[in-house]
């Protein structure tokens, strides 16, 4: 599948970069591989890759890379269910981002903060972080982060008891991701939409959204084209 090929090529490039001592490119490549490992639920590999990346970032005094790594460590804690630790780590990443003047990273880290706050049922704090993330993403022209903020706001609406608003936001997120060709994010938004329709008692719409999400994920695994007939 596509991801297996990407990982294989990434590991080959990693060996070359290690041999040439190209630390900046190696750091960003390791970060990408860590994100893939995390998406696959492989926390051990993700943590090992992130640890090596953090050492490189600190050796280079590369604040933006360091903030990115801290943010990904927060995501590993979130996946592991360590919610308070995740929230504290995201706060560290946000502080690092702001201290270093890396304003372009702020939307993605604010989305992480908001996601952790949703899981902790701290809905007001989540709303503040996610609304700020959405505004910053729009200001900076970061369309994918705009879609991700809409997705997280949909999760917040569902968790806080407003499934109608959650449905509207999830639809917006899915449409935005499709326009951008961001298929993994579109699949996540469609899966969320399925959960929202289930909460609304609309089983037919839930089944449709869930089937669309499953088809997209299958296309990503197999390498087959998505959205046939578009």
């Amino acid at each position: 599948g596509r991801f297996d090929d990407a990982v294989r090529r990434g590991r080959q490039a990693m060996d070359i970069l290690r041999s040439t001592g190209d630390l900046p490119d190696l750091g960003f490549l390791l970060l990408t591989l860590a994100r893939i490992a995390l998406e696959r639920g492989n926390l051990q590999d993700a943590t090992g890759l992130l640890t090596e990346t953090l050492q490189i970032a600190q050796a280079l005094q590369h604040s933006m890379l360091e903030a990115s790594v801290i943010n990904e460590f927060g995501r590993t804690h979130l996946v592991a269910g360590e919610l308070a630790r995740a929230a504290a780590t995201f706060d560290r990443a946000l502080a690092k981002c702001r201290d270093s003047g890396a304003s372009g990273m702020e939307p993605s880290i604010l989305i992480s903060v908001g996601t952790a706050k949703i899981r902790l049922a701290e809905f007001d704090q989540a709303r503040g972080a996610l609304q700020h993330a959405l505004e910053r993403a729009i200001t900076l022209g970061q369309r994918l982060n705009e879609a991700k903020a809409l997705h997280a706001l949909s999760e917040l609406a569902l968790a806080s008891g407003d499934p109608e608003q959650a449905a509207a936001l999830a639809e917006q997120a899915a449409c935005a991701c499709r326009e951008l060709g961001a298929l993994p994010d579109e699949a996540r938004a469609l899966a969320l939409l399925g959960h929202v329709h289930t909460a609304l008692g609309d089983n037919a719409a839930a089944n449709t959204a869930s089937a669309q999400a499953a088809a997209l994920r299958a296309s990503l695994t197999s390498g087959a084209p998505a959205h046939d007939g578009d």
Side-chain angles (χ1 to χ4, degrees):
R2 296 180 189 177
F3 287 126
D4 290 327
D5 289 342
V7 170
R8 190 158 44 248
R9 288 194 298 270
R11 292 198 177 278
Q12 289 170 352
M14 185 172 67
D15 292 339
I16 293 169
L17 291 171
R18 279 202 175 106
S19 67
T20 61
D22 190 342
L23 289 182
D25 283 350
L26 177 59
F28 282 104
L29 177 58
L30 288 168
L31 180 63
T32 299
L33 291 172
R35 285 171 172 157
I36 293 172
L38 186 56
E39 285 291 328
R40 293 180 160 195
N42 191 332
L43 296 183
Q44 185 173 354
D45 279 0
T47 299
L49 289 162
L50 289 172
T51 299
E52 186 175 355
T53 312
L54 183 60
Q55 291 168 349
I56 290 171
Q58 290 173 340
L60 295 171
Q61 297 185 330
H62 197 309
S63 297
M64 186 177 75
L65 180 58
E66 187 173 349
S68 295
V69 175
I70 296 169
N71 189 52
E72 294 304 316
F73 268 122
R75 291 182 63 221
T76 66
H77 300 321
L78 199 61
V79 170
E82 300 169 346
L83 302 183
R85 190 177 181 188
T89 304
F90 290 140
D91 285 341
R92 279 179 53 216
L94 187 59
K96 188 72 178 177
C97 163
R98 288 172 172 167
D99 288 347
S100 65
S103 60
M105 292 183 55
E106 196 171 0
S108 62
I109 297 176
L110 283 165
I111 291 166
S112 296
V113 171
T115 300
K117 297 298 184 182
I118 292 169
R119 304 280 178 85
L120 289 164
E122 296 174 359
F123 297 141
D124 287 342
Q125 292 182 48
R127 187 171 293 105
L130 294 173
Q131 289 288 3
H132 191 194
L134 181 61
E135 292 164 7
R136 293 292 293 141
I138 292 170
T139 299
L140 294 166
Q142 296 181 357
R143 293 186 63 206
L144 183 55
N145 276 330
E146 182 181 343
K148 289 181 176 182
L150 290 169
H151 182 119
L153 283 164
S154 175
E155 291 184 331
L156 172 60
L158 182 61
S160 59
D162 190 352
E164 291 85 1
Q165 177 71 358
L169 289 163
E171 286 273 15
Q172 289 180 58
C175 288
C177 291
R178 185 170 189 179
E179 288 174 4
L180 293 168
L183 300 185
D185 296 284
E186 184 188 354
R188 280 190 285 270
L190 287 168
L192 173 59
L193 188 58
H195 292 310
V196 173
H197 282 311
T198 297
L200 288 167
D202 189 343
N203 291 330
N207 290 339
T208 297
S210 298
Q212 289 173 336
L216 267 183
R217 285 171 171 156
S219 77
L220 289 167
T221 301
S222 67
H227 300 310
D228 285 339
D230 285 0

